[in-house]
Each structure stands twice: as C-alpha cells, then as structure tokens.
Amino acid sequence: MKDIIFLGQKSEPATKADQQVVTDLLDTLKANRAGCVGMAANMIGVKKRIIAVNMGGVNVAMINPVITKKKGAYKTEESCLSLSGVRSTTRYQDIEVEFWDAEWKKQKQKYSGWIAQIIQHECDHLDGIVI
C-alpha cells in the first residue's frame, strides 16, 4: 500500500476476528524480508492495529500495541517500504510495550536499540504517522 491518504488514517483496534490479518501480515513481512524489517497492517490495506516485527530472524506479531514507556531520545533517519527516500525522525533507545501476541495472550515487554526503533516506526503507522 502506497496511498498516503489511506496510510495517514488512524487504525482501529483489532479483535480476535482479525486473526487472518495477523497471518497475512506475518506472511507479507516474510515475503519482503530482503527489504523490510517491520510492517503494519495498513501497509497491506487493512486499517487495524496490528504490526509485525523481525526480531533477529523471528517475525513477531503485536496486536493493539501501546508504547507505555520510552527514554533516551535520539535523532535518526528512516526509510519505509511504502515511501521512497529517507526521512529524519526522533526515536527512543528504550521502550516498554503492552500488546497481545498472535495467540491473544497479553504481553508487556521491554525493547531497546534497533528492535525498539522498528516498533516505534510501525506504531507510528497505526496512528497515521508516515515517516
């Protein structure tokens, strides 16, 4: 999906009825692994709060993720599969995220560095922020 108007809209909370979207998103991330490390559901045309992140060779789905803590702001540049070019943005070195996993179990995890940056980028997508 490269439609900026669609990507600029906020996503809706996901429910268990959206399980197929989780599967499709993980499959799409796997198919694009050569040039993509994270993906939000709106990038495959579904306006639901679901992201998939490559975490060291394993793709992890996060359903309705919420970043509850962040520290260590820094400036960086990012690219996006949905856009051409590179853009400047502010990210945080350490974050804490609450979400449901692909089996609908509640999770609360801490992430840092590159994985934290990917999660922040994909969560921006859910809020209609295109970097």
Side-chain angles (χ1 to χ4, degrees):
M1 171 66 65
K2 296 185 184 286
D3 181 345
I4 296 301
I5 293 171
F6 182 83
L7 292 172
Q9 298 174 23
K10 287 191 175 193
S11 295
E12 301 164 3
T15 68
K16 289 184 180 181
D18 297 310
Q19 190 62 42
Q20 186 60 49
V21 178
V22 174
T23 301
D24 292 348
L25 189 61
L26 288 167
D27 288 347
T28 306
L29 179 59
K30 183 178 180 182
N32 287 277
R33 69 179 166 256
C36 187
V37 292
M39 193 169 275
N42 62 359
M43 295 172 69
I44 61 168
V46 181
K47 206 166 45 170
K48 292 291 186 163
R49 296 188 71 79
I50 305 168
I51 65 173
V53 177
N54 182 282
M55 297 189 188
V58 176
N59 291 335
V60 176
M62 296 181 164
I63 303 165
N64 298 321
V66 176
I67 298 171
T68 56
K69 293 181 183 175
K70 52 189 175 182
K71 69 176 184 174
Y74 65 95
K75 287 283 196 186
T76 189
E77 291 186 336
E78 295 178 350
S79 60
C80 181
L81 191 62
S82 294
L83 303 169
S84 60
V86 176
R87 286 152 202 81
S88 179
T89 189
T90 299
R91 295 291 180 219
Y92 294 86
Q93 180 65 29
D94 300 299
I95 61 171
E96 187 172 279
V97 185
E98 292 182 5
F99 62 97
W100 281 264
D101 65 20
E103 285 78 41
W104 286 93
K105 293 179 184 162
K106 183 76 170 178
Q107 302 289 329
K108 184 177 187 177
Q109 300 287 331
K110 293 179 181 181
Y111 299 95
S112 61
W114 177 237
I115 302 291
Q117 184 175 341
I118 299 166
I119 293 168
Q120 291 168 81
H121 179 101
E122 302 313 329
C123 284
D124 277 355
H125 270 293
L126 301 179
D127 291 329
I129 299 167
V130 183
I131 299 295

